Amino acid sequence: MSEGLRERKKRETRRRISDVATGLFMLRGFDDVTVAEVARAADVSVNTVFNYFATKEDLLLDRAPEVEGLLGRVVRERRPGESVLEAVRRDFLDALETGHERYGFHEGGDGFVRMVEASPALVARVREMNEARERRLAEAIAEESDADPDDLTPALVAAQVNAVLRTVVGYAVRRMLAGESVEAIAPDLRDRARQAFDMLESGIGGYCVRWEETSPAPGVREPA
């Protein structure tokens, strides 16, 4: 169903407020800009800002739902024959190849990281987002594997996968903050990411593989 005029205007207003806020935050620092200043710059009321964004942090981190749900979506949309680990590895390496920002490594990301690290409120919110991403991944794995509610395996797999991503991206960000370009870092990051995923392969590489509907899962025999 096509988007209605009212919905499109609301989406555009939300984006404009977020863009204005992000520009002010990048220029002056998150903690030094008030919501009232954002409202004035965006030519809306403070109430309108809070109608679209529950907190000041959400003005900057407006893609939080997408970020938190990313890994769960990758798992649910994995290809036939792919395990959880293979699907995430493929998607992460694709993001590196295409320069997509979905994993937090992209051109210009160093300025964003500096702003976040300068604000305790943003650091806490990013930590919450990372925890939510891991939790959503565990939920997707549990659903896809039809795990028992008491089975800890989905949470353990999610924790390991998320730790690899957090570690390799953190490594890249530290190099960006030291002044290196994305172009210079990317080849080494790909190698280190592959190495990190390979370390998990022997432990969880075959877990929760998506099987073709026409093919029986391992250990299940075709009827005679």
Side-chain angles (χ1 to χ4, degrees):
M1 186 168 59
S2 61
E3 183 182 38
L5 178 61
R6 185 168 183 268
E7 289 73 21
R8 179 171 60 81
K9 286 187 174 181
K10 289 175 65 176
R11 176 174 54 81
E12 291 173 349
T13 298
R14 187 180 194 278
R15 180 184 300 167
R16 178 166 55 84
I17 294 171
S18 178
D19 288 347
V20 168
T22 299
L24 290 173
F25 295 152
M26 294 290 290
L27 181 65
R28 295 167 46 196
F30 179 81
D31 292 335
D32 292 331
V33 176
T34 67
V35 174
E37 289 175 311
V38 171
R40 284 196 298 272
D43 196 25
V44 297
S45 69
V46 171
N47 285 341
T48 297
V49 172
F50 283 119
N51 283 340
Y52 286 95
F53 302 93
T55 68
K56 180 183 174 184
E57 289 76 21
D58 290 338
L59 282 164
L60 179 69
L61 304 172
D62 59 311
R63 292 177 55 248
E66 178 184 342
V67 172
E68 293 170 2
L70 170 63
L71 297 181
R73 178 184 58 77
V74 169
V75 166
R76 290 187 174 93
E77 296 176 0
R78 69 196 186 286
R79 300 168 180 172
E82 271 190 336
S83 68
V84 168
L85 183 63
E86 290 168 337
V88 175
R89 171 167 42 195
R90 172 179 53 79
D91 193 68
F92 180 74
L93 292 176
D94 176 74
L96 292 186
E97 290 293 337
T98 60
H100 196 278
E101 62 183 17
R102 62 185 178 272
Y103 286 96
F105 175 70
H106 56 92
E107 200 69 55
D110 54 332
F112 182 86
V113 172
R114 285 190 177 91
M115 178 177 56
V116 169
E117 291 187 343
S119 169
L122 287 178
V123 169
R125 182 69 182 95
V126 169
R127 185 182 301 115
E128 290 175 359
M129 289 171 58
N130 186 60
E131 292 171 353
R133 181 176 75 167
E134 184 175 313
R135 185 167 59 252
R136 297 277 293 278
L137 173 59
E139 291 169 355
I141 294 172
E143 292 172 8
E144 292 290 303
S145 63
D146 197 23
D148 185 273
D150 294 328
D151 188 353
L152 294 180
T153 308
L156 292 171
V157 171
Q160 293 177 69
V161 170
N162 200 43
V164 162
L165 294 172
R166 189 173 63 249
T167 301
V168 297
V169 171
Y171 163 78
V173 167
R174 288 194 299 274
R175 290 181 59 177
M176 289 174 63
L177 293 176
E180 294 187 65
S181 68
V182 167
E183 183 180 5
I185 299 168
D188 183 43
L189 181 60
R190 281 192 291 270
D191 291 340
R192 290 177 183 267
R194 291 190 179 101
Q195 179 186 30
F197 282 116
D198 286 347
M199 291 176 68
L200 295 185
E201 185 68 38
S202 61
I204 64 173
Y207 180 73
C208 197
V209 173
R210 166 164 286 179
W211 302 102
E212 300 265 13
E213 291 185 4
T214 56
S215 302
V220 178
R221 298 184 61 182
E222 295 271 12

